[in-house]
């Protein structure tokens, strides 16, 4: 057992559900107790989805516990098949069903005899993998299934497109700024005259998966989800893939050079150096920005970085290589990806931290006292408590991290956004510091009587209980409540305010 | 025992149409009760013994609260715990000692989950031993999704609390703390049960005081060390509709007499609640008609907004019957009352008031659907086109996108809705989507999807 207040990565089934519900017309059925469908709330609230989330539960209750699911799962699958006519139903095990050890594969086999839809059992073990690993595996599983199916029916066409083309593997719901990142990647590809063959899984139909081998190469922007699929396609069809995250101007250039290499390898004869040069010097502002005089002030400032391995590594590179900031330590909660992370940022920071214990992270931050933190929502809250500015660069995220406006982290526009994020975090810190030195915004007392009735000009007394009640009212409306109650008491010609009067005043004010 | 007879009304079944669907509905996991209970019981610590799934739910559902140094945590089960390679006793001891050291609570609540049920972890057996060993009370509640929905989590915790024997030295009569004068009628001690915020505790206590009725204690109290004395023959009365196990425990284990009353939600409910308690104590209620009228007068504006409008409860928190009854009294037409679980005995008086209200408002009694099926419900909502759907957050945005006004049901659980004073809060919530949409009407289309 582990005492845990907070976790960075969710349980495995969330990963499966994220992939399944990203596809068009795929329905996921969770084998889970009542209340485990919280995923639907997250998708509907965080992403403000207009459509019903295609996830339902085959509810595990006392009866299931006593007699097994029997026909229930099979019936639920065929019911969804009739109601929604999905292309694919993904039966999703949860922590509960993994310990029940029911033969879910058997249910899948039986159900798929009757259904129009394909039926798959997500191959994830709840106690061994987390959300991201499960998502990675589920995506591979679905892709593999449809490639094999096409092979069997001889519908697989592996002739490459005439023009250079790419699959983007890594577009899914509930991910950090993903929608914007994908838009930015599409723009980048169009600038480079590369056709998009397929973007999976968000918005993709499972029917189009058989076209994946037509692409010249694959891009996996985030290493947490998509690498397994890219590796599978490499092994099976020898499709090269690029796993360099184009985040920051340096890495974006690296990514483009890798694309150039692959294309030239296929006799496309392209040269992107001029494009990189123009984008870096003129289109993106961030390279110039980090040379501008303002950024001199950031030189050698202490920062710490924590997040998923993709974002934490990329951010560390940007801070050190592009802005001259001193990253005291960089870390990730993707423990299974330790060696990659160490290889990427080992030379760029003083220390590497690999943990999923937020308490340890909190303590380490307090010890180092950095000038700025780049982390997840958890680090933002630690930062708040320690009064250190913080920029959020990675999941886990809140609703604020699903902005309406265009906020990519990838590509040249992403570099601009990140530069703003870094700079704004620091200036806020500087402002705070100056304010402290000069003693706050304005040292003069506000003498206006309009803000609160002071005890001198009021003859009304508050008894102990009502005083206690008053202190429970949140600060920002307490003054108003106090004034209203006193006004009410005056009108009633009462001299002492009791609880009754407080409530009566509240009713009267309504 | 007239209050029991009152509940067992046989002709109820004929008049109200109860149905039961598949139980495929969205609701919060009952472990969510730790969110409000740890705030209510100030010296407590809640340890949820479950998996990452439970933790993920709490972390996301409770949002910001998690960062305010909450007095709750997960005892996250690992593979070794599931396969019994690790001793439950030793593991729990280690964690509880850590909690004791770091937070020094007066009580630790163990919240059992689906996983502890399935692997049959003997929490009730371990707790007394460990309690003695670490000298800290441990209360076990099985608030799992196999058996319960959302607010029923509170029921399991309060039922567990109700089973704790009286701690003799700890009597701190409530009236000494907040009431100064002594104009009470002599009566058998009355204990109220149900977790409500402290202001609501004070408000309801004061309303009863006006009738000369003294509240001897609340279950739960502000602190674990202030749990009320509960003795055989005492009267108990619930303030929330989802507390049937607690009521049963108080009756059977503590030999208390249950006052079966409608719940103090809405001015009509509050009045009926007070009147019922008065009747039990042979007190002639005074000033309640006037008090209720005054409140309705204050609600006029809100009532005018919803009068004649229709509402559909998808059902997820068991407050549905009381809310529907109040809204019908406010002039609304209720199409359907979905509810996770319907205890016709415990909610008997509330059901009768619903019946009476419908008769007086001259509208048919809405159908009550237990264990609803959300998919079918969405179908019915499409056909009926209600003016308002009260639903969970999984369906709210998709329904709004289809031009259907929604109100999140969860807010009724977290807002102060009990008593005369807070009746306005309920209508404030119910009318919010209507008021908002009145303002937005000019934008044009109410539908924001191209599908259907």
């Amino acid at each position: 057992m582990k005492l845990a207040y907070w976790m960075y990565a969710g349980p495995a089934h969330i990963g499966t559900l994220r992939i399944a519900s990203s596809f068009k017309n795929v329905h996921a059925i969770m084998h889970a107790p009542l209340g485990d469908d919280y995923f639907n709330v997250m998708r509907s609230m965080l992403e403000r989805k207009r459509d019903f989330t295609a996830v339902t539960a085959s509810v595990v209750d006392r009866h299931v516990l006593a007699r097994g699911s029997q026909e229930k799962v099979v019936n639920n699958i065929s019911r969804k098949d009739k109601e929604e006519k999905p292309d694919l139903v993904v039966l999703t095990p949860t922590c509960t069903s993994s310990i029940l050890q029911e033969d879910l594969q058997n249910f899948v086999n039986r159900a798929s005899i009757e259904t129009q839809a394909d039926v798959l059992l997500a191959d994830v073990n709840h106690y061994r993998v987390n959300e991201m690993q499960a998502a990675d595996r589920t995506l591979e599983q679905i892709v593999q299934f449809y490639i094999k199916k096409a092979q069997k029916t001889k519908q697989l066409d592996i002739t490459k497109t005439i023009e250079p083309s790419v699959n983007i593997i890594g577009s899914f719901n509930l991910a950090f700024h993903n929608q914007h990142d994908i838009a930015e990647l599409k723009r980048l590809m169009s600038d480079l005259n590369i056709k998009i063959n397929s973007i999976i899984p968000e918005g993709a139909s499972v029917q189009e998966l058989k076209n994946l081998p037509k692409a010249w190469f694959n891009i996996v922007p985030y290493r947490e989800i998509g690498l397994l699929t890219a590796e599978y396609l490499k092994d099976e069809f020898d499709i090269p893939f690029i796993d360099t995250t184009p985040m920051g101007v340096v890495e974006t250039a690296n990514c483009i050079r890798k694309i150039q290499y692959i294309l030239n390898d296929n006799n496309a004869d392209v040269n992107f150096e001029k494009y990189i040069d123009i984008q870096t010097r003129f289109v993106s502002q961030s390279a110039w920005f980090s040379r501008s005089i303002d950024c001199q002030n950031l030189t050698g400032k202490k920062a710490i970085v924590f997040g998923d391995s993709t974002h934490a590594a990329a951010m560390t590179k940007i801070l050190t290589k592009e802005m001259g900031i001193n990253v005291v330590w960089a870390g990730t909660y993707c423990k299974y990806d330790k060696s990659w992370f160490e290889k990427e940022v080992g030379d760029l920071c003083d220390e590497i931290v690999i943990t999923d214990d937020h308490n340890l992270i909190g303590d380490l931050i307090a010890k180092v006292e950095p000038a700025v933190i780049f982390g997840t929502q958890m680090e933002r809250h630690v930062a708040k408590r320690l009064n250190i500015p913080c920029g959020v660069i990675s999941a886990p995220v809140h609703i604020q991290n699903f902005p309406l406006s265009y906020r990519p982290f990838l590509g040249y526009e992403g570099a601009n956004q990140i530069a703003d994020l870094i700079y704004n975090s620091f200036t806020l810190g500087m402002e705070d510091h100056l304010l402290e030195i000069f003693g706050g915004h304005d040292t003069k007392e506000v003498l206006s009587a309009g803000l609160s009735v002071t005890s001198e000009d009021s003859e009304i007394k508050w008894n102990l209980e009502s005083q206690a009640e008053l202190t429970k009212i949140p600060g920002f409306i307490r003054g108003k409540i106090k004034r209203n109650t006193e006004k009410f008491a005056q009108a009633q010609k009462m001299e002492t305010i009791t609880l009754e009067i407080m409530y009566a005043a509240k009713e009267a004010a309504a | 025992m007239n209050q029991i007879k009152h509940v067992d009304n046989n002709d109820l079944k004929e008049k109200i149409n109860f149905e039961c669907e598949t139980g495929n509905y969205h609701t919060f996991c009952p472990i969510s009760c730790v969110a409000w209970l740890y705030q209510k019981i100030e010296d407590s610590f809640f340890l949820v013994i479950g998996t990452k799934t439970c933790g993920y739910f709490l972390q996301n559902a409770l949002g910001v609260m998690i960062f305010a140094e909450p007095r709750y945590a997960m005892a996250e089960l690992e593979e070794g715990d599931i396969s019994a390679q690790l001793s439950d006793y030793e593991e729990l001891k280690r964690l509880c000692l850590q909690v004791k050291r770091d937070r020094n609570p007066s009580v630790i609540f163990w919240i059992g989950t689906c996983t502890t049920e399935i692997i049959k972890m003997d929490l009730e057996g371990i707790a007394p031993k460990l309690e003695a060993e670490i000298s800290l009370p441990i209360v076990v509640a099985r608030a799992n999704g196999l058996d319960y929905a959302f607010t029923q989590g509170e029921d399991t915790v309060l039922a567990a609390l109700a089973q704790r024997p009286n701690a003799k030295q700890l009597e701190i009569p409530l009236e000494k703390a907040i009431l100064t004068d002594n104009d009470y009628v002599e009566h058998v001690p009355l204990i109220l049960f149900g977790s409500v915020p402290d202001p609501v505790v004070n408000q309801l206590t004061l309303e009863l005081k006006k009738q000369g009725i003294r509240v001897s204690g609340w279950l739960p109290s502000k602190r674990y060390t202030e749990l009320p004395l509960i003795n055989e023959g005492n009267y108990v009365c619930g303030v929330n509709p989802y507390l049937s196990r607690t009521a049963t425990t108080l009756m059977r284990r503590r030999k208390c007499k249950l006052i079966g009353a409608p719940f103090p939600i809405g001015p009509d409910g509050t009045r009926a609640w007070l009147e019922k308690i008065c009747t039990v104590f042979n007190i002639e209620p005074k000033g309640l008609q006037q008090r209720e009228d005054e409140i309705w007068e204050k609600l006029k504006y809100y009532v005018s907004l919803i009068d004649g409008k229709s509402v559909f409860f998808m059902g997820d928190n068991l407050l549905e019957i009381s809310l529907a009854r109040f809204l019908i009294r406010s002039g609304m037409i209720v199409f359907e009352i979905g509810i996770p679980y319907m205890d016709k005995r415990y909610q008997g008086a509330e059901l009768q008031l619903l019946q009476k209200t419908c008769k007086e408002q001259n509208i048919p009694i809405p159908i009550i659907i237990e264990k609803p099926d959300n998919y079918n419900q969405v179908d019915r909502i499409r056909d009926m086109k209600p003016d308002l759907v009260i639903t969970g957050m999984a369906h709210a945005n998709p329904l709004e996108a289809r031009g259907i006004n929604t109100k999140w049901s969860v807010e009724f659980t977290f807002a102060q809705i009990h008593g005369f004073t807070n009746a306005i809060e309920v209508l404030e919530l119910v009318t919010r989507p209507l008021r908002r949409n009145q303002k937005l009407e000019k934008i044009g289309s109410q539908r924001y999807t191209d599908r259907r």
Side-chain angles (χ1 to χ4, degrees), chain A residues 260-314:
Chain A
Q260 174 180 310
Y261 177 80
I262 289 172
L263 297 191
N264 286 340
D265 216 29
N266 287 287
N267 310 316
D269 191 26
V270 287
N271 187 339
F272 295 139
E273 286 305 328
K274 195 161 173 232
Y275 175 79
I276 294 172
D277 184 56
I278 290 176
Q279 289 290 324
T280 308
R281 287 198 298 142
F282 301 109
V283 178
S284 166
Q285 298 294 312
S286 78
W288 155 241
F289 175 75
S290 43
R291 271 171 186 73
S292 72
I293 199 72
D294 242 2
C295 275
Q296 264 184 20
N297 292 335
L298 305 184
T299 313
K301 283 254 188 284
K302 283 201 288 188
I304 68 106
V305 180
F306 192 76
D308 63 25
S309 36
T310 300
H311 289 90

Side-chain angles (χ1 to χ4, degrees), chain A residues 428-445:
Chain A
L428 288 178
M430 186 62 84
E431 233 171 83
D432 239 30
H433 184 59
L434 290 175
L435 280 173
E436 206 165 286
I437 292 174
F438 295 114
H441 273 285
D442 194 347
T443 47
K444 267 186 268 172
E445 284 279 333

Side-chain angles (χ1 to χ4, degrees), chain A residues 1-2 51 62 79 507, chain B residues 76 117 147 373 402 421:
Chain A
M1 272 179 223
K2 197 167 82 182
D51 274 318
R62 274 287 150 193
R79 177 182 163 184
E507 283 171 22
Chain B
E76 195 183 308
E117 287 297 310
D147 300 305
D373 185 295
R402 284 161 184 75
T421 315

